[in-house]
Amino acid sequence: MALDGIRMPDGCYADGTWELKMHVTDLNKDVSLRVTGEIHIGGVMLKLVEKLDVKKDWSDHALWWEKKKTWLLKTHWTLDKYGIQADARLLFTPQHKLLRLQLPNMKHMKVKVNFSDRVFKAVSDICKTFNIRHPEELSLLRKPRDPKKKKKKLEECEEEALELEGPLLTPGSASEIIYIGPMKGSIYSSPGLYSKTMTPTYDSRDGSPLSPTSAWFGDSPLSEGNPSILAVSQPISSPDILVKLYKPPSLLDKAKINQGWLDSSRSLMEQDVKENEVLLLRFKYHSFFDLNPKYDAIRVNQLYEQAKWAILLEEIECTEEEMMMFAALQYHINKLSIMSSDNHMNNSEKEVDEVDAALSDLEITLEGGKTSNTLGDITSIPELADYVKVFKPKKLTLKGPKQYWCTFKDITISCYKSREEAHGIPAHQMNLRGCEVTPDVNISGQKFNIKLLIPVADGMNEIWLRCDTERQYAQWMAACRLASKGKTMADSSYNLEVQNILSFLKMQHMNPDPQIIEPITTDINPECLVSPRYLKKYKNKQISARILEAHQNVAQMSLIEAKMRFIQAWQSLPEFGITHFLAKFQGGKREELIGITYNRLIRIDASTRDAIKTWRFSNMKQWNVNWEIKMVTVEFADEPSLSFICAEVDCKVVHEFIGGYIFLSTRAKDQNESLDEEMFYKLTSGWV
């Protein structure tokens, strides 16, 4: 009698083989194979396909170990090396699966993404397909849940939202699904053309590519229609969309949204992402490198859209005047976008030349302008000296402002009782390195305040500066912002910063001559242009009139300029770029907020939104994570270390934000466009 058929008590057969159970997802079929621990993964898949005897391209399939949540991608490894025994159950499933991707413009797209790639790689492939440069700035976020809605009702609302907005493509067949990344076989693989060497041929109104569709999108379904579909801003079609979207009521609720960021060093499947699930593609790191309208039509538009929705959903605070300015820019962009799509084929060489000239004048790369060649910039550091009102807050009220003769040298402000005493000992002196700088401006009330939170041993010292004119405010504000980073007014970005602040203020001016304001037309829909807070405060007619008034300041802008100005204005808001997390600080009794930006960590009071203490990355020696107790510890060169426990969020998310911003700070314009993925993983993974 042959021994190979005799089964032992441990489940193995007498000849040393055992049964490996597998489920083939495409066929919804369970299959068992007789194997030994010495067989390699490639051999298992070959045996399985032979046993199935189904004529089909299996090249995209791989084995997934459910219990361990891991892909068995090392096909030369044996079952023994992976630790797989008879009690394991494996899935034989495609690596590329369907995902419903919500872009920053809130539109949905059906894409096939590699569920076995790390998220960082998957996002890079998505961005290459969509022609978005610098994919390291983006990532995937789970859709935030509205705690007030029941789960079943929530799912219905999500489906309604999808129908309401509609995907950018309406997939009716397999060919209308966009495939992301390289795939074996003949299935489309995006060339991802976004190198610095490409010829910048673009539309004169919106900066979208005019090159042949195949050059930009290969065989992608995007090439079947307008190749610049992702570069065109589409007006919000109905106020109902705003009503249905989740608006976090408080800063604590905003912090909870950030729990949803996916781990960049693990695959989608490892993080329980299901096929056909909705994920949000968003700019995660607010450090936009080399933003150039010549190459970045889609990137600029998606950034504009993310900024627009952040303002409309009140995810970021702004003043009433700023809101009307944003609404006017949005109204202007909507008008030009409609005109642009109507006249898309009527472009001429002359118009392209005009855009080139306009972009040269703007110098809007959001990185800094041209370096001045004047000898004065090299031999001396500019200084400011003027009468400025200075005051400190008391317990309940602000102490009345007192006028001082103030000089701003290097990164220090010195206050003297009069101009004549400027050569003596100052009454007050402030070193601004590492301080928090916040604007407090009201154009109509001619209020130009600068709030400074200056680091001291036991926290932050609050000082306010009050300027008399817009120009004085712009000069002092720009100097304060640079000084907070340890830079002086000799820095090449100082003059550009002054001009950006003046431009930002100018856009908020109310037009003194009502005669030139166009009559209120039916195409203004204030419910789609301003946040709910102001809709409750004013009637629609009043808001429309104010939007048209503010529109006079931006009416001459081209479409791409208006979008860039919108992004710049968004970046000028005090809360821009701060990602909040709930945390419990060492020595603290209650939960507070930790804010992470591109250059610092901020301890924030959740009720007042004020910064309690700031720590700069430039002063950081190292950071460590105790994964067991979810504690992050950051050590600094010349101040006590910072320790906090992450609340309601995996500390890996916080760790990745810190490491991610450190990684982004290493980018340089003279580098090639390839990303050092391994360096990113070293800084963000924690255990690699």
Side-chain angles (χ1 to χ4, degrees):
M1 183 182 171
L3 293 175
D4 60 349
I6 300 173
R7 198 163 185 174
M8 311 298 282
D10 61 357
C12 294
Y13 289 88
D15 62 356
T17 62
W18 42 273
E19 282 194 356
L20 178 63
K21 298 180 187 68
M22 285 175 284
H23 179 76
V24 183
T25 55
D26 284 12
L27 307 176
N28 194 21
K29 182 179 179 182
D30 290 317
V31 180
S32 293
L33 284 181
R34 288 272 292 273
V35 296
T36 68
E38 293 170 4
I39 189 170
H40 54 75
I41 298 298
V44 172
M45 291 195 289
L46 190 62
K47 269 189 163 191
L48 176 62
V49 170
E50 285 173 355
K51 187 169 182 178
L52 288 171
D53 196 25
V54 174
K55 287 189 177 179
K56 178 180 168 67
D57 180 4
W58 298 99
S59 59
D60 186 46
H61 284 61
L63 290 171
W64 166 256
W65 190 359
E66 274 187 308
K67 189 178 178 183
K68 298 282 185 181
K69 285 190 182 178
T70 186
W71 285 97
L72 309 180
L73 298 176
K74 292 174 179 170
T75 51
H76 60 285
W77 276 27
T78 63
L79 293 174
D80 280 346
K81 192 165 184 180
Y82 265 118
I84 295 169
Q85 295 175 344
D87 61 345
R89 184 176 183 267
L90 306 180
L91 293 187
F92 189 54
T93 186
Q95 294 171 74
H96 282 76
K97 297 180 186 294
L98 202 61
L99 203 61
R100 290 186 296 174
L101 207 60
Q102 190 197 68
L103 303 181
N105 63 357
M106 296 292 184
K107 301 292 181 184
H108 292 79
M109 208 174 239
K110 283 195 175 183
V111 293
K112 274 214 168 178
V113 181
N114 193 331
F115 272 50
S116 68
D117 273 342
R118 290 173 168 184
V119 166
F120 186 82
K121 173 73 167 59
V123 170
S124 293
D125 286 340
I126 289 167
C127 290
K128 281 179 185 176
T129 304
F130 293 162
N131 206 49
I132 297 172
R133 292 196 310 151
H134 298 291
E136 67 275 13
E137 296 167 1
L138 297 93
S139 194
L140 298 173
L141 179 69
R142 290 187 190 274
K143 202 161 189 177
R145 300 284 182 191
D146 189 340
K148 292 177 185 173
K149 291 179 182 174
K150 290 181 181 175
K151 193 175 180 185
K152 195 174 180 183
K153 202 172 181 182
L154 193 71
E155 285 167 5
E156 286 171 12
C157 288
E158 280 178 5
E159 292 303 321
E160 277 178 33
L162 282 171
E163 290 301 316
L164 198 60
E165 284 287 88
L168 284 168
L169 303 173
T170 312
S173 66
S175 64
E176 289 177 322
I177 293 166
I178 299 177
Y179 289 84
I180 303 294
M183 289 184 68
K184 295 170 188 172
S186 60
I187 299 174
Y188 162 68
S189 167
S190 163
L193 299 176
Y194 61 84
S195 73
K196 289 179 180 173
T197 55
M198 72 164 76
T199 306
T201 310
Y202 47 87
D203 184 275
S204 61
R205 292 176 182 81
D206 62 11
S208 55
L210 287 177
S211 52
T213 57
S214 59
W216 287 85
F217 291 103
D219 301 321
S220 156
L222 287 173
S223 64
E224 293 168 11
N226 184 347
S228 61
I229 191 167
L230 300 180
V232 177
S233 175
Q234 296 170 344
I236 299 170
S237 55
S238 162
D240 294 342
I241 296 165
L242 267 173
V243 174
K244 283 188 166 70
L245 289 169
Y246 172 57
K247 289 177 278 296
S250 71
L251 204 54
L252 293 173
D253 293 296
K254 289 175 192 175
K256 287 175 185 175
I257 292 175
N258 293 314
Q259 298 170 18
W261 287 107
L262 293 187
D263 185 338
S264 298
S265 56
R266 293 164 66 214
S267 70
L268 293 169
M269 201 88 155
E270 287 172 83
Q271 298 179 71
D272 296 320
V273 175
K274 302 288 186 281
E275 187 165 10
N276 215 30
E277 189 174 326
V278 177
L279 287 180
L280 281 50
L281 180 69
R282 294 290 184 269
F283 289 87
K284 175 179 179 179
Y285 300 104
H286 292 73
S287 176
F288 314 128
F289 188 71
D290 188 27
L291 192 60
N292 189 330
K294 288 186 181 182
Y295 308 111
D296 290 325
I298 292 169
R299 186 173 167 221
V300 167
N301 186 59
Q302 296 300 323
L303 255 178
Y304 156 71
E305 289 284 349
Q306 185 162 325
K308 176 183 86 176
W309 285 102
I311 287 158
L312 290 177
L313 296 175
E314 298 175 2
E315 290 171 9
I316 187 166
E317 291 287 308
C318 65
T319 65
E320 196 172 300
E321 287 172 333
E322 288 163 350
M323 178 59 76
M324 296 308 157
M325 174 203 65
F326 283 122
L329 278 168
Q330 205 189 134
Y331 171 64
H332 185 63
I333 289 164
N334 290 347
K335 278 177 71 174
L336 292 185
S337 296
I338 293 164
M339 287 165 57
S340 170
S341 57
D342 289 344
N343 304 308
H344 201 267
M345 302 308 293
N346 302 329
N347 300 300
S348 66
E349 287 295 322
K350 183 187 173 190
E351 286 174 317
V352 174
D353 290 342
E354 284 172 1
V355 168
D356 255 333
L359 293 176
S360 298
D361 292 340
L362 275 173
E363 293 180 355
I364 42 177
T365 59
L366 303 186
E367 292 263 67
K370 297 172 183 174
T371 307
S372 173
N373 293 322
T374 56
L375 191 63
D377 284 347
I378 301 167
T379 57
S380 64
I381 295 174
E383 298 174 6
L384 291 175
D386 208 342
Y387 280 106
V388 177
K389 294 183 178 73
V390 181
F391 52 105
K392 290 183 181 182
K394 278 193 162 186
K395 282 183 182 177
L396 297 173
T397 58
L398 289 172
K399 191 179 178 183
K402 192 174 180 182
Q403 187 163 280
Y404 288 92
W405 176 260
C406 296
T407 61
F408 204 135
K409 294 181 182 179
D410 294 328
I411 58 172
T412 302
I413 297 176
S414 302
C415 306
Y416 303 90
K417 289 182 180 176
S418 67
R419 185 173 186 172
E420 291 70 32
E421 296 179 21
H423 297 293
I425 299 169
H428 305 287
Q429 201 164 43
M430 299 169 273
N431 185 311
L432 267 53
R433 185 189 294 274
C435 77
E436 286 295 305
V437 185
T438 310
D440 179 34
V441 175
N442 185 308
I443 303 290
S444 56
Q446 287 295 290
K447 182 176 81 170
F448 305 105
N449 291 342
I450 302 169
K451 178 184 171 184
L452 302 173
L453 290 172
I454 302 165
V456 289
D458 57 345
M460 307 286 266
N461 193 9
E462 188 175 333
I463 303 284
W464 290 65
L465 307 180
R466 179 170 292 174
C467 300
D468 294 325
T469 64
E470 286 186 18
R471 177 153 287 280
Q472 185 190 35
Y473 167 79
Q475 290 172 336
W476 285 75
M477 187 64 173
C480 288
R481 282 178 177 167
L482 283 173
S484 71
K485 300 171 192 173
K487 296 178 180 179
T488 70
M489 285 172 273
D491 192 89
S492 60
S493 63
Y494 173 69
N495 288 327
L496 184 71
E497 182 70 20
V498 172
Q499 291 308 312
N500 283 343
I501 293 168
L502 286 170
S503 166
F504 184 53
L505 296 175
K506 188 182 175 186
M507 285 194 293
Q508 296 176 59
H509 282 184
M510 289 302 166
N511 204 300
D513 186 4
Q515 299 295 322
I516 63 169
I517 296 174
E518 58 187 286
I520 293 176
T521 53
T522 52
D523 65 337
I524 278 204
N525 190 348
E527 293 158 308
C528 298
L529 298 174
V530 300
S531 68
R533 182 189 306 173
Y534 296 105
L535 290 172
K536 291 172 189 170
K537 195 173 178 183
Y538 299 106
K539 292 179 180 174
N540 281 8
K541 232 177 188 179
Q542 291 174 303
I543 296 172
S544 297
R546 288 187 66 179
I547 291 171
L548 286 175
E549 202 175 340
H551 181 247
Q552 298 307 306
N553 298 316
V554 301
Q556 302 308 311
M557 290 182 185
S558 68
L559 180 53
I560 194 73
E561 182 188 348
K563 286 180 185 177
M564 291 294 277
R565 290 292 186 204
F566 195 102
I567 295 166
Q568 278 184 325
W570 176 46
Q571 288 180 301
S572 298
L573 297 177
E575 289 186 0
F576 167 79
I578 303 175
T579 307
H580 301 94
F581 296 98
L582 284 167
K584 196 170 182 181
F585 290 86
Q586 202 166 34
K589 292 180 181 177
R590 58 191 175 89
E591 285 182 359
E592 295 176 73
L593 289 171
I594 183 88
I596 304 175
T597 75
Y598 77 98
N599 65 354
R600 66 200 189 281
L601 299 169
I602 314 165
R603 186 174 181 174
I604 299 168
D605 186 311
S607 54
T608 63
R609 305 173 88 100
D610 285 340
I612 299 169
K613 176 80 175 156
T614 298
W615 298 268
R616 297 261 160 187
F617 288 159
S618 57
N619 198 30
M620 186 168 69
K621 282 166 62 180
Q622 64 175 21
W623 77 100
N624 304 298
V625 181
N626 184 326
W627 301 104
E628 287 182 20
I629 59 171
K630 294 170 67 173
M631 179 179 277
V632 179
T633 302
V634 190
E635 293 179 23
F636 299 93
D638 54 8
E639 56 184 318
S641 61
L642 160 71
S643 294
F644 59 89
I645 291 174
C646 303
E648 296 190 36
V649 64
D650 189 339
C651 58
K652 172 66 174 67
V653 179
V654 176
H655 169 63
E656 191 174 300
F657 262 94
I658 297 172
Y661 274 124
I662 300 294
F663 174 75
L664 296 188
S665 70
T666 64
R667 297 179 295 182
K669 284 190 178 179
D670 56 351
Q671 288 176 338
N672 61 24
E673 299 243 332
S674 62
L675 283 173
D676 188 349
E677 276 188 51
E678 287 311 307
M679 177 58 74
F680 177 84
Y681 295 134
K682 278 180 185 175
L683 287 167
T684 61
S685 295
W687 46 76
V688 173

